[in-house]
């Protein structure tokens, strides 16, 4: 059930609806938009009686929700969500760039890459301290030591730290040392992790699972939001197909497909999508051209020595060039202001 308030509904009207929802034993999710507030109800097993709300002061209508999701939808919030990470944003007119190495390998490596990322004007630094590797014998990340290096990058350059939590204990560490929780492709349907991230004060970057449908991905975001954390950014990072010329296949069509359903920001990761540094820039251009709110890029000061994902890492020079190019594309497709 979605309770849509009138444009002139008072705070008291909204609070009354919220209270009644809670008294029924459900959870209320009020979302203020530019013109009206809508309140979504979760926690109900069967249908909710619309007549309970229809005649309350300030209520425009109570709509039965027939779609599987309630909180990610444009029905609840017709305007795009802008995710705020301190004073940096994702989802507004500025193109968001999240860049850094696949894994934090040393203090020197992280600070060297961060210097270039900062100089490029990007506001976000990425780097894994806990790595989800296919083989248990591959480099697993520096763990908490890596987190401490990330915190130093934040102190030195003021960059916002985006780093992966592999499990619920990992979320505790991101909350201590970072600014945004990354949930990786392999964990997109780790429901206890999603719920834990949903109870965090930090925003969440939710990567699309290796073979996740649009609906599965959006429902994973819904898990986070159902716990009360509405600061979710979706990240398309390529899916598993029969293609052998790339590590994964970048599904650019998912960007407008998400837009048609959801108010959440969506960004593109061309690094994991291609697995090849030579393809990262062309795919980044495509991601921006198709309307993504931002990019997540892997960059390394010495890609040939990287302990993980070296083949897809851009050099510092290649990264600088990419930023320049994608900003030009972003500007070129900016909506023309109405006359
Ligand atoms: C990463 O960003 O380094 C990563 C492991 O990504 P994904 O979960 O998309 O594979
Ligand atoms: Mn990686």
């Amino acid at each position: 059930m979605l309770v849509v308030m009138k444009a002139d509904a008072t705070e008291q009207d909204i609070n009354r609806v919220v209270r009644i929802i809670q008294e029924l034993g459900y959870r209320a999710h009020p979302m203020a938009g530019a013109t009206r507030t809508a309140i979504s109800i979760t926690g109900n097993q069967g249908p909710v009686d619309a007549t309970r709300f229809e005649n309350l002061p300030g209520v425009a209508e109570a709509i039965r929700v027939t779609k599987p999701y309630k909180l990610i939808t444009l029905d609840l919030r017709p305007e795009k969500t802008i995710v705020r990470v301190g004073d940096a944003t994702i989802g507004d007119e500025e193109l968001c760039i999240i860049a850094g190495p696949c894994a934090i390998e040393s203090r020197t490596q992280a600070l060297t890459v961060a210097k270039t990322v900062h100089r490029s004007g990007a506001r976000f630094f990425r780097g894994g301290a806990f790595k989800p590797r296919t083989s248990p014998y591959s480099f697993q990340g520096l763990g908490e030591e890596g987190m401490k290096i990330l915190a130093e990058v934040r102190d030195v350059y003021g960059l916002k730290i985006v780093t992966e939590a592999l499990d619920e204990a990992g979320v505790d560490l991101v909350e201590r040392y970072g600014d945004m929780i990354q949930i990786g492709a392999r964990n997109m349907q780790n429901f206890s992790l999603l719920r834990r991230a949903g109870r965090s004060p930090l925003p969440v970057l939710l990567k699309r699972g290796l073979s996740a449908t649009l609906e599965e991905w959006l429902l994973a975001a819904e898990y986070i939001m159902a716990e009360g954390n509405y600061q979710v950014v979706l990240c398309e990072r390529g899916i598993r197909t029969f293609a052998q010329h790339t590590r994964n296949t970048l599904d650019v069509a998912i960007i407008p497909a998400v837009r048609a359903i959801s108010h959440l920001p969506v960004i593109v990761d061309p690094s994991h999508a291609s697995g090849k540094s030579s393809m990262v820039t062309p795919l980044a251009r495509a991601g921006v051209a198709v309307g993504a709110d931002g990019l997540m890029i892997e960059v390394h000061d010495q890609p040939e020595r990287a302990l993980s994902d070296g083949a897809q890492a851009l050099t510092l020079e290649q990264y600088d060039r990419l930023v320049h190019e994608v900003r030009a594309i972003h500007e070129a497709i900016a909506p023309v202001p109405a006359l």
Side-chain angles (χ1 to χ4, degrees):
M1 173 83 45
L2 183 64
V3 183
V4 181
M5 304 301 292
K6 291 179 182 157
D8 62 355
T10 64
E11 209 176 310
Q12 206 186 356
D13 295 336
I14 295 166
N15 290 341
R16 185 183 302 109
V17 173
V18 168
R19 204 180 51 242
I20 292 172
I21 293 169
Q22 289 166 348
E23 279 167 12
L24 289 168
Y26 308 140
R27 187 161 184 164
H29 301 265
M31 255 195 229
T35 55
R36 46 84 156 159
T37 291
I39 307 164
S40 184
I41 302 173
T42 60
N44 54 303
Q45 296 303 330
V48 180
D49 181 8
T51 58
R52 195 74 190 78
F53 301 98
E54 274 163 355
N55 298 318
L56 293 174
V59 172
E61 54 180 338
I63 309 167
R64 242 192 89 212
V65 177
T66 49
K67 295 171 190 143
Y69 18 69
K70 303 179 177 195
L71 303 173
I72 59 99
T73 63
L74 290 166
D75 299 331
L76 178 60
R77 192 184 154 81
E79 302 87 22
K80 275 179 69 180
T81 283
I82 298 173
V83 168
R84 296 181 193 283
V85 189
D87 61 346
T89 51
I90 308 175
D92 56 6
E93 59 288 339
E94 206 182 310
L95 182 70
C96 155
I97 295 179
I98 304 171
C102 178
I104 300 302
E105 299 168 6
S106 70
R107 198 174 158 268
T108 312
Q109 171 241 22
L111 288 165
T112 305
V113 176
K115 187 174 178 188
T116 294
V117 171
H118 175 248
R119 211 182 35 207
S120 75
R123 303 295 314 277
F124 298 86
F125 186 73
R126 62 145 290 144
F130 295 90
K131 296 303 304 175
R133 303 305 299 280
T134 301
S135 164
Y137 309 119
S138 302
F139 176 59
Q140 304 286 309
L142 296 180
E144 189 163 355
E145 190 196 332
M147 290 283 191
K148 289 181 182 164
I149 295 172
L150 284 165
E152 190 177 344
V153 165
R154 174 169 61 180
D155 289 347
V156 173
Y157 291 108
L159 290 161
K160 308 296 176 200
I161 303 300
V162 184
T163 192
E164 181 161 354
L166 287 183
D167 48 31
E168 291 162 76
V171 177
D172 295 339
L173 290 173
V174 182
E175 286 173 350
R176 193 168 325 146
Y177 298 108
D179 300 295
M180 186 170 197
I181 304 159
Q182 178 173 327
I183 295 188
R186 292 155 192 82
N187 265 323
M188 190 205 81
Q189 284 186 317
N190 180 338
F191 300 116
S192 49
L193 178 59
L194 295 173
R195 284 207 180 91
R196 171 65 185 87
R199 293 191 295 272
S200 176
L202 296 189
V204 182
L205 182 75
L206 179 64
K207 292 194 131 191
R208 182 180 179 190
L210 273 73
S211 63
T213 63
L214 172 60
E215 185 170 305
E216 287 163 346
W217 191 22
L218 294 175
L219 285 172
E222 189 82 21
Y223 260 92
I224 300 167
M225 297 180 76
E227 295 295 324
N229 188 350
Y230 307 134
Q231 298 277 289
V232 179
V233 176
L234 301 165
C235 178
E236 158 63 24
R237 45 78 73 207
I239 47 169
R240 183 68 60 87
T241 68
F242 54 82
Q244 291 176 328
H245 52 280
T246 47
R247 182 176 178 187
N248 293 290
T249 297
L250 180 64
D251 179 9
V252 284
I254 201 104
I255 309 301
V258 167
R259 284 269 188 269
I261 300 174
S262 180
H263 53 83
L264 294 176
V266 54
I267 70 167
V268 162
D269 168 357
S271 304
H272 292 88
S274 64
K276 294 179 180 168
S277 61
S278 62
M279 294 189 182
V280 170
T281 298
L283 295 187
R285 291 187 201 120
V288 174
V290 84
D293 292 296
L295 296 169
M296 179 179 247
I297 306 289
E298 285 191 349
V299 48
H300 200 288
D301 57 327
Q302 293 175 290
E304 67 290 350
R305 294 203 179 173
L307 298 181
S308 69
D309 286 350
Q312 67 196 36
L314 296 187
T315 62
L316 302 178
E317 294 72 28
Q318 288 167 334
Y319 165 76
D320 266 336
R321 204 180 169 79
L322 173 147
V323 172
H324 194 74
E325 289 186 18
V326 295
R327 287 231 170 94
I329 294 169
H330 184 66
E331 229 161 85
I333 61 166
V336 180
L339 287 175

